Amino acid sequence: DTGVSQDPRHKITKRGQNVTFRCDPISEHNRLYWYRQTLGQGPEFLTYFQNEAQLEKSRLLSDRFSAERPKGSFSTLEIQRTEQGDSAMYLCASRQSSGAHNEQFFGPGTRLTVL
Amino acid sequence: AQSVTQPDIHITVSEGASLELRCNYSYGATPYLFWYVQSPGQGLQLLLKYFSGDTLVQGIKGFEAEFKRSQSSFNLRKPSVHWSDAAEYFCAVAGWSSNTGKLIFGQGTTLQVKP
């Protein structure tokens, strides 16, 4: 399967714990995006990478959140000291950078539940 | 500020009936517009996109959308709905002048199809 994959698909954690999610983009895509989707809402942009460089971060990305893409391939999103408000679906997408209109391909998401 | 509004949170149509999902956007420059569909447990799938040219665009699964600049709208239509079209639909905008490619989504419309 050459689509975007995310791991894990579901994560249940207790408040105050740290969690890390992984995203593997389509191999030839140099742009990688993270979005957060809460129940009943559309996805909201969190951050994006071009290759290994993180080029933009949303104000939604508090200092408890950190994202990396160390070799320009897979990416990780870590949330420290989780709060109940962090419960959401975390979506990853990738695309080629050439052409602003190129389609973003989305992964299935990681659903986080913070108890 | 850039925004997307989907006025209808939930729509129910009978199988075989026509469908129109509304989308209004607010963007200061020429927008790139998208419609995505999300089925339970699935990632977002692109139905169609508009960048320039013909304001009526055709997509997959028999969907089409019409861009109306004067109304800041990009409504999605399908002449005959199938039960498998039941899902959540998202309209999104990306900035033509922005090279980030990040998408701004509406809150979504949930489509229910009656047999």
Side-chain angles (χ1 to χ4, degrees), chain B residues 20-59:
Chain B
E20 182 170 31
L21 302 182
R22 295 184 291 164
C23 172
N24 294 98
Y25 68 90
S26 173
Y27 191 74
T30 303
Y32 292 151
L33 295 159
F34 306 80
W35 274 99
Y36 282 86
V37 61
Q38 186 177 38
S39 300
Q42 305 292 319
L44 290 158
Q45 182 183 23
L46 182 68
L47 289 175
L48 47 78
K49 58 189 177 184
Y50 171 78
F51 303 124
S52 64
D54 193 347
T55 56
L56 185 64
V57 293
Q58 303 297 320

Side-chain angles (χ1 to χ4, degrees), chain A residues 9 31 33 35 37 40-45 48 50 56 89 91 95 97 100-109, chain B residues 32 34 36 38 41-46 49 51 88 90 94-96 98-108:
Chain A
R9 295 289 303 275
R31 289 241 176 134
Y33 299 81
Y35 293 84
Q37 184 179 19
Q41 300 297 317
E44 295 173 292
F45 170 78
Y48 90 99
Q50 177 155 321
E56 184 172 339
M89 177 78 84
L91 297 168
R95 74 170 180 94
S97 64
H101 55 280
N102 283 348
E103 175 184 352
Q104 289 187 27
F105 292 82
F106 282 82
Chain B
Y32 292 151
F34 306 80
Y36 282 86
Q38 186 177 38
Q42 305 292 319
L44 290 158
Q45 182 183 23
L46 182 68
K49 58 189 177 184
F51 303 124
E88 193 153 20
F90 293 96
W96 181 85
S98 165
N99 194 34
T100 71
K102 68 181 179 184
L103 296 173
I104 298 167
F105 287 86
Q107 69 180 99

